């Protein structure tokens, strides 16, 4: 079992930055190094499907779609069991609810999401 809690969303103007955080807790983290979890950040804009915007794998490699490559950076603090998403040069099309997610023991877990709104 894993619980995920996102924070850090808000209203910003185009070109500004935000850093999102996702704190993980739960039984599945006991005795397991946080860095062994593959995790991702997703966003869902109104009327659109949820899409992945960043992933970090157990080996430390990362992956981004072209739409955010070079602007978004995923990272984590293993001691704090926290996942981050640094978002720079934000655009209005980055607006949406951002979720973090991971899979453990065959179950996929999601946080409650945090709203990011970018005004033009």
């Amino acid at each position: 079992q894993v619980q995920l809690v996102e924070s850090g969303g808000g209203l910003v103007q185009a070109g500004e930055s935000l850093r999102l955080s996702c704190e993980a807790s739960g039984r599945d983290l006991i005795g397991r190094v946080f860095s062994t979890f593959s995790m991702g950040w997703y966003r869902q804009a109104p009327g659109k499907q949820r899409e992945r915007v960043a992933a970090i794998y157990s080996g430390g490699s990362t992956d981004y779609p072209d739409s955010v490559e070079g602007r978004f950076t995923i990272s984590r603090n293993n001691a704090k069991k926290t996942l981050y998403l640094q978002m720079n040069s934000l655009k209005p099309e980055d607006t949406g609810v951002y979720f973090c997610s991971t899979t453990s023991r065959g179950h996929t877990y999601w946080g409650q999401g945090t709203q990011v709104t970018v005004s033009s």
Side-chain angles (χ1 to χ4, degrees):
Q1 187 180 28
V2 178
Q3 289 84 44
L4 302 170
V5 179
E6 301 96 336
S7 61
L11 172 63
V12 297
Q13 293 188 334
E16 294 184 339
S17 299
L18 276 176
R19 188 176 81 155
L20 306 183
S21 299
C22 170
E23 294 186 41
S25 62
R27 186 175 57 212
D28 288 10
L29 275 75
I30 298 172
R32 182 177 170 183
V33 178
F34 185 59
S35 62
T36 64
F37 287 85
S38 293
M39 303 190 72
W41 282 99
Y42 295 74
R43 72 181 173 204
Q44 187 161 22
K48 294 187 177 181
Q49 288 190 333
R50 193 172 295 188
E51 61 172 340
R52 192 175 72 184
V53 296
I56 186 166
Y57 301 102
S58 59
S61 61
T62 58
D63 184 53
Y64 308 91
D66 290 343
S67 58
V68 307
E69 180 78 56
R71 299 189 298 121
F72 288 13
T73 303
I74 189 171
S75 62
R76 54 180 152 197
N77 182 315
N78 294 323
K80 294 184 177 180
K81 295 181 171 58
T82 300
L83 181 74
Y84 302 101
L85 183 68
Q86 178 67 43
M87 304 185 294
N88 298 328
S89 302
L90 283 162
K91 303 176 180 179
E93 52 262 44
D94 294 320
T95 294
V97 180
Y98 283 70
F99 303 86
C100 62
S101 179
T102 191
T103 299
S104 177
R105 301 178 186 270
H107 296 278
T108 298
Y109 298 93
W110 298 88
Q112 83 289 349
T114 185
Q115 176 71 45
V116 172
T117 303
V118 184
S119 63
S120 57

